[in-house]
Amino acid sequence: MRQIILDTETTGLEPEAGHRVIEIGCYEIEQRRSTGRTFHEYLNPGRPVDPEAMEVHGITDQFLADKPRFSEVAQGFIDFVGGAELIIHNAPFDVGFLDSELGRLGSAWGRLEDHCRVTDSLTLARRRHPGQRNSLDALCRRYGIDNSGRTLHGALLDAEILAEVYLAMTGGQVTLHLGAEEAGGPSRGAETIRPVSADRPRLPVITPSESERAAHAAWLDRLDDASNGGCVWRSINEEAST
């Protein structure tokens, strides 16, 4: 259950045209909890950043001039992601660029999927929400995740946001904070479990009327007919009465 949420920024759109990775952001979660471990590097691509790409992420040639080359951080990157499941939004884009960077170092480095497993969260989102917009911003709105700090794309920030989106899509958890243990209370996932007070009022039990029972039985008959006797609700009731 060690997962790495990964994002990159690049000089342009196509590695085949010589474009390079200029930022890598990785955010680690384990057992669906943040570990606090990250990998984050800006990289000197050895070529200019396209103006259109700069408008998206705001990273300039001047800023990158004194940053390390990919070859200088490659081993640290592979060590960080090795053996994990990578969660990437629109994975073919990022994987294509990272495979291109590894290829420049020689065949001994292999491809990204030789070191870890890759899951495309965009594919997952399209299965969950067919026919809807599934960009990272759209998913944040759908799941109520605050991305107000995302005025420009940034690899580490986007990885952190994607971590919350991924957890929400796959299990309903929408926070990565670890405050429950620090407060001394028991926890489940990212939620604190609060004991129910023994003094709370008893919950009312509403008994159905005869007409409601009859309507319910008629509905179960229809389900039984449609499923060739496979009505699960009725079988559960029968098991409970034996």
Side-chain angles (χ1 to χ4, degrees), residues 157-191:
L157 174 61
D158 284 0
E160 292 175 355
I161 292 172
L162 178 57
E164 297 203 46
V165 167
Y166 173 77
L167 291 173
M169 278 199 301
T170 57
Q173 179 181 338
V174 293
T175 178
L176 291 165
H177 301 304
L178 306 178
E181 289 84 351
E182 294 171 4
S187 67
R188 179 183 61 206
E191 301 175 355

Side-chain angles (χ1 to χ4, degrees), residues 53-101:
M54 196 181 305
E55 288 180 6
V56 173
H57 49 59
I59 302 173
T60 66
D61 297 330
Q62 291 79 6
F63 175 78
L64 297 172
D66 62 348
K67 301 302 183 286
R69 299 298 182 112
F70 180 81
S71 59
E72 299 175 62
V73 306
Q75 189 60 61
F77 168 66
I78 293 299
D79 289 345
F80 188 83
V81 302
E85 177 189 15
L86 294 189
I87 312 297
I88 309 174
H89 209 62
N90 190 21
F93 179 87
D94 301 84
V95 171
F97 267 95
L98 290 167
D99 281 347
S100 176
E101 294 290 351

Side-chain angles (χ1 to χ4, degrees), residues 29-223:
I29 59 177
E30 196 163 5
Q31 304 297 331
R32 298 183 61 82
R33 305 291 300 278
S34 169
T35 67
R37 295 183 66 226
T38 63
F39 177 92
H40 184 221
E41 291 284 354
Y42 290 103
L43 304 169
N44 183 339
R47 58 152 294 153
V49 177
D50 276 7
E52 295 82 2
M54 196 181 305
E55 288 180 6
V56 173
H57 49 59
I59 302 173
T60 66
D61 297 330
Q62 291 79 6
F63 175 78
L64 297 172
D66 62 348
K67 301 302 183 286
R69 299 298 182 112
F70 180 81
S71 59
E72 299 175 62
V73 306
Q75 189 60 61
F77 168 66
I78 293 299
D79 289 345
F80 188 83
V81 302
E85 177 189 15
L86 294 189
I87 312 297
I88 309 174
H89 209 62
N90 190 21
F93 179 87
D94 301 84
V95 171
F97 267 95
L98 290 167
D99 281 347
S100 176
E101 294 290 351
L102 291 170
R104 292 171 183 268
L105 303 182
S107 59
W109 287 84
R111 299 167 65 84
L112 187 60
E113 291 187 87
D114 294 327
H115 304 280
C116 46
R117 183 160 62 95
V118 175
T119 295
D120 188 351
S121 55
L122 178 57
T123 300
L124 175 63
R126 286 171 173 166
R127 286 200 297 263
R128 293 257 196 281
H129 311 290
Q132 301 181 54
R133 294 187 62 195
N134 288 297
S135 67
L136 189 55
D137 286 336
L139 290 169
C140 285
R141 289 191 294 272
R142 188 168 301 142
Y143 288 104
I145 293 168
D146 181 15
N147 66 338
S148 56
R150 191 179 186 247
T151 54
L152 290 171
H153 288 228
L156 186 57
L157 174 61
D158 284 0
E160 292 175 355
I161 292 172
L162 178 57
E164 297 203 46
V165 167
Y166 173 77
L167 291 173
M169 278 199 301
T170 57
Q173 179 181 338
V174 293
T175 178
L176 291 165
H177 301 304
L178 306 178
E181 289 84 351
E182 294 171 4
S187 67
R188 179 183 61 206
E191 301 175 355
T192 300
I193 300 174
R194 296 179 175 86
V196 176
S197 172
D199 299 327
R200 70 170 186 170
R202 293 179 62 84
L203 296 175
V205 177
I206 301 173
T207 304
S209 66
E210 288 303 317
S211 62
E212 289 170 333
R213 289 177 182 274
H216 180 63
W219 179 251
L220 294 184
D221 288 338
R222 292 174 60 188
L223 290 178

